[in-house]
Amino acid sequence: MPETVIVFAGGDPIPPSAVLDLPADTFVIAADSGLDRAREAGLHIDLLVGDLDSISSEGRQDAEFRRTQIERHPVYKDATDMELALQAARKQGARKVIVIGGHGGRQDHYLANALLLPSPAFADLDIEWRAGRARLYAVHKALSLPGKVGASVSLLAVGGAVRGVTTEGLRWNLKGEDLEAGSTRGVSNEFKAETASIKVKAGTLLVVVPDPEAG
C-alpha cells in the first residue's frame, strides 16, 4: 500500500514549481480533468475518479488506450470529484496526500475543496494542497511547515474556535492562544525560519502559504 498518494485535480494549468519535488514511484489519482493536468506534467495515472464531465476527449481516449482503472460516478452526486479522489486515496492506504491543481475556475468549487482539508472526515490524512503557487494545509494537532524566510503565511480557524495555538518560527508567534472562527487575526504572518511549528490543543486550522518562494 502506498504511504503517499498524489491527486491531480482539474482547473487552471499547473505551474512547474508544483510538480518539481514530487515523490517518485507513488500512486497517482486523477480527479476528472485532473488527468489532463497530469498528462501535461508527464505523469502516469493509476486511477481516474469522477463523473468524467470535464475531461478532454484526448484524455479520455488516452485513459482507455492505457487501460487506466476508472472509478466512475454519476453527474448528480453528493461530493466533488476532489472529495471522491481523497476517499479513493484513503482506500489505497494513503497516510499523506499531495493534491495538485484544482485552483481557478468556479469559486464555490475552490472554497468547498479548500474546506475538505480541515474536515473531520479527513483528519486521519496528512493533506498538502498545491493550488497554483499556493500551499494549503490543515492542522488537527501539529504541523511542521516548510517555507522561505519572509514568505507570508495565514492561520485560519475553521469549524469553530481553535484553542491553545502555539507557533514557532514565525514573525509573530502565538503561545497557547486562541483563534476564533471568522477572525482575521491569523492572516499575513511571516516565516522567520525555514521551518515553522504549529500546534493546537483543540480545533482545526487551515494554513495558507500564498507563495512559498516569495520571501
Side-chain angles (χ1 to χ4, degrees), residues 23-71:
D25 301 322
T26 191
F27 198 86
V28 179
I29 298 174
D32 207 321
S33 61
L35 185 140
D36 295 317
R37 303 283 82 84
R39 290 180 67 220
E40 293 167 359
L43 270 74
H44 167 78
I45 297 299
D46 296 291
L47 174 64
L48 173 61
V49 175
D51 54 25
L52 311 189
D53 67 341
S54 58
I55 188 174
S56 68
S57 58
E58 292 83 0
R60 187 193 299 267
Q61 291 170 6
D62 185 66
E64 293 172 351
F65 175 77
R66 296 176 184 275
R67 297 184 179 180
T68 302
Q69 181 182 352
I70 300 176
E71 181 183 305

Side-chain angles (χ1 to χ4, degrees), residues 153-157 174 178-189:
V153 55
S154 293
L155 312 181
L156 307 174
L174 300 174
D178 299 340
L179 290 178
E180 301 294 333
S183 169
T184 58
R185 182 186 177 193
V187 173
S188 295
N189 209 323

Side-chain angles (χ1 to χ4, degrees), residues 5-10 29-34 47-51 71 73 77-92 94 97-102 108-125 127 129:
V5 167
I6 297 171
V7 169
F8 274 85
I29 298 174
D32 207 321
S33 61
L47 174 64
L48 173 61
V49 175
D51 54 25
E71 181 183 305
H73 294 261
K77 56 191 187 304
D78 295 329
T80 64
D81 291 325
M82 182 166 154
E83 181 172 3
L84 295 173
L86 291 177
Q87 293 172 354
R90 177 190 283 130
K91 292 177 183 177
Q92 293 296 325
V97 180
I98 301 174
V99 180
I100 301 175
D108 54 346
H109 273 227
Y110 181 84
L111 291 173
N113 287 334
L115 291 175
L116 291 173
L117 275 68
S119 168
F122 297 108
D124 59 322
L125 296 179
I127 305 175
W129 186 11

Side-chain angles (χ1 to χ4, degrees), residues 3 28 74 82 103 115 117 124 128 143 168 198:
E3 185 166 308
V28 179
M82 182 166 154
H103 58 292
L115 291 175
L117 275 68
D124 59 322
E128 173 188 348
L143 175 69
E168 296 179 1
I198 304 171

